[in-house]
Amino acid sequence: MKREMPLQISDHVRTLGREAQAALGEQFARIDAIAEENTQKVLAAFQRHRVAESYFAGTTGYGYDDLGRDQLDAIFADLFGTEDALVRIGFVNGTHAISCALFGALKPGDTLVSAVGAPYDTLLGVIGVVDKGPGSLKQYGVNYRQVDVTPEDRPDVEGIVEAVKAPSVSTVLIQRSRGYATRASLSVDEIGTLCAAIRSANPGVNILVDNCYGEFVEEREPTQAGADLVVGSLIKNPGGGLAPTGGYIAGRRDLVEAASMRLTTPGIGRECGSTLGNNRLLYQGLFLAPHTVAQAVKTAVFAAKTMELLGYRAEPASSALRHDIIQMIHFGEPEKLKKFCKGIQMGAPVDSYVTPEPWDMPGYDCPVIMAAGAFIQGASIELSCDAPMREPYTLYLQGGLTYESGKAGVLLAVEELLKD
């Protein structure tokens, strides 16, 4: 009796998937080894901090004496090798957390330097590069300059060193992932090299790293390589697919404290902020995060190899070492990109029947298409993809709670792409 295939994927595409997976044994083994190391680190941190079931109880109102919330701060600080951390569901996204960190680190008259070109699109309004409404750093008297990457898409170390020598420069922002740029994501070692160069030119500068999409992809984090602060979103890597919202800031104690005053208000800082019963999900999500991140990285590598077999250019290449969960695929024209997005949406467990269309998302300067059928709205640790609808029509794929479901989503996207 012939077995019915549960998903509408042709034999041709399934064969393509088997060929891609067969070539990835060495890559998958490397990813699994990193996940094992990071899982042991997380488990050891939970044990050192004597995590107890009582920490999962939630608080309401002001949120005073939330032992689980405060202990989770300590665990994040332990894992990131920092003096302090702030982990809160009050951060609405990664941009909000980064904004709090920047406003805490900068004062009127200071200069912020973005070290590897323009930061992610949604931060441009925060800085004041574009006018997205009142309250930007620019309106508060903070100056801004950026050092673009070299023609080879690498950090311009000499340019960065010259830029940070100015006496007004107090803070440098390094974005680990590529955002909607085409440069390569930065490894922790590369960030460490940048930190050393920056310190040689300006020893007192604050170095902040936008760590979104990078947590647990390597065995170290940027604060273990010289950065003063790392910032990220809990609905990306460190939430493990379970955190319902939130973000984190980890690093030097005075910078974390200053950021907490921006999240709430001076005089209150971290002392308030109820968790509303979410502590269990934050703890369990963090515990699962190294494994979940590995599933997302495997999905990205599989997507790269599959598209390479079809003749598309994928960055990073399927054989490359990974520094975040993002996979770029260059389509060169809009219709193929939209077909691939439609297929990814068809592979989602939620809203699989929806057809993604470009729209004017808040914070972006052009229409953006996004396929994201997720349990947590906008959670890019779940399989999703997005792209600005502009040349060169490059798609950014990320996530996959399990490799098996991520692989199925990629194959459905390929099936849709190959249709006439």
Side-chain angles (χ1 to χ4, degrees), residues 359-406:
W359 67 295
D360 293 315
M361 289 181 65
Y364 297 86
D365 64 359
C366 72
V368 173
I369 189 169
M370 180 174 291
F375 292 102
I376 305 296
Q377 187 182 93
S380 43
I381 191 61
E382 302 186 47
L383 182 65
S384 58
C385 66
D386 51 282
M389 295 305 294
R390 61 189 180 214
E391 293 183 349
Y393 296 103
T394 295
L395 178 132
Y396 298 79
L397 176 79
Q398 59 273 320
L401 292 178
T402 67
Y403 167 64
E404 294 80 9
S405 62

Side-chain angles (χ1 to χ4, degrees), residues 288-302:
L288 292 174
H291 175 75
T292 305
V293 168
Q295 302 303 290
V297 177
K298 284 184 176 181
T299 299
V301 170
F302 174 79

Side-chain angles (χ1 to χ4, degrees), residues 86-93 96-97 100 245-249 259 263:
L86 183 73
V87 186
R88 294 294 183 273
I89 61 171
F91 289 119
V92 302
N93 53 26
H96 183 199
C100 287
T245 188
Y248 76 91
I249 298 172
L263 174 61

